[in-house]
Amino acid sequence: MAGITKKRRIAPDTREVLYGFHPVMEALTAGRRTIYSLMVDRTALSERQTQVVELAERQRISWQTVSPDQIRAVSGSDQHQGVAAAASAMPTDSIESIVTEIRRDSGTCLLVLLDSIVDPNNLGAIVRTAHCAGAHALVIPKDRAVGATPAVSKASAGALEHTRLCRVTNLAGTIQWLKKEGVWVAGLAMQAQQTVFQADLKGPLALVVGGEEKGLRPLVRQHCDYLISIPLRGRVDSLNASAAAAVVLYEAFRQRQTTG
């Protein structure tokens, strides 16, 4: 029609600024992101900055010296440790591809599903523990939950850069699909009668960790195969999400190391 110009849809810029020694170093090491450029905040490089710059140079990534205030401005954080990098967003995988790959390679999966975790520090701590305990991937809802931000990478001490992530629209629907694929789904709930130390965590398993305030949402809880709790003896009646996830992940790790 005359007088109407069809606009092109322009893809949003998915670049972000990683900050801190470990996130930048691990991003360079993992090679999962595109690193566009590197920034350091001094001409006389510290030992850590030298490590990062040398690794960047080996990968033919440009770097420049800027002021601490400039790094603070582009990263939005005072915790940059004098190092930042412009990078592509963290890549994600589909849950279907991850389960298929795990089944082909090792057979027994360990997944962590997060229901409404909104605190970047909590998510970062969970990512770090999940990576160290051998979890294959984290599954995070697209809505009402924090994503794989630079703050999460910083809180994970760079473990995010080595962790596979899935973003899903419907967590309850994902749980139903996993169950059909033969994966048992265990939800953490402090009211559960079965404790984490009584549960069998050795087979194909998805652990579901609830949000900081309300725990598992009712629909998510309903679709779990079973619920497990963590015994508590102190006056405080609960652990935060990252501490609870750590207890259960390492109990799963312990059980999976048991032979004979």
Side-chain angles (χ1 to χ4, degrees), residues 194-201 228-231 247 251 254-255:
Q194 179 178 214
T195 73
V196 60
F197 306 118
Q198 296 166 334
D200 183 352
L201 306 177
I228 53 178
S229 61
I230 298 171
V247 172
E251 174 59 17
R254 185 194 68 80
Q255 291 187 20

Side-chain angles (χ1 to χ4, degrees), residues 19-82:
Y19 59 89
F21 170 75
H22 289 294
V24 174
M25 192 72 178
E26 297 307 328
L28 288 166
T29 302
R32 299 174 66 209
R33 301 180 189 248
T34 299
I35 307 298
Y36 300 103
S37 61
L38 180 71
M39 293 163 275
V40 294
D41 71 348
R42 65 184 73 177
T43 304
L45 301 179
S46 68
E47 182 177 346
R48 282 184 163 187
Q49 287 173 326
T50 299
Q51 291 179 49
V52 173
V53 165
E54 288 178 349
L55 184 53
E57 287 181 336
R58 287 199 293 272
Q59 298 179 19
R60 298 185 178 180
I61 296 168
S62 63
W63 64 279
Q64 60 179 319
T65 302
V66 299
S67 70
D69 285 342
Q70 286 175 294
I71 294 185
R72 186 179 303 111
V74 297
S75 67
S77 174
D78 292 322
Q79 300 179 355
H80 53 76
Q81 298 173 302

Side-chain angles (χ1 to χ4, degrees), residues 94-100 103 111 171-183 185:
S94 71
I95 187 68
E96 294 84 0
S97 65
I98 284 180
V99 170
T100 299
R103 184 174 289 146
L111 306 172
L171 192 61
T174 299
I175 289 172
Q176 289 178 294
W177 182 84
L178 286 169
K179 289 163 68 173
K180 289 177 183 177
E181 293 297 310
V183 179
V185 181

Side-chain angles (χ1 to χ4, degrees), residues 42 44 51 56-57 61 64 76 83 101 127-129 140 142-143 150-151 157 162 166 170 176 194 208-209 220 245:
R42 65 184 73 177
Q51 291 179 49
E57 287 181 336
I61 296 168
Q64 60 179 319
V83 178
E101 182 180 317
V127 166
R128 187 175 186 178
T129 302
I140 306 171
K142 290 181 179 178
D143 299 321
H162 302 280
C166 304
N170 186 328
Q176 289 178 294
Q194 179 178 214
V208 191
V209 182
V220 170

Side-chain angles (χ1 to χ4, degrees), residues 225-248:
D225 286 308
Y226 58 93
L227 301 175
I228 53 178
S229 61
I230 298 171
L232 300 170
R233 288 190 174 179
R235 291 176 178 266
V236 177
D237 64 359
S238 66
L239 298 172
N240 72 12
S242 60
V247 172
V248 181

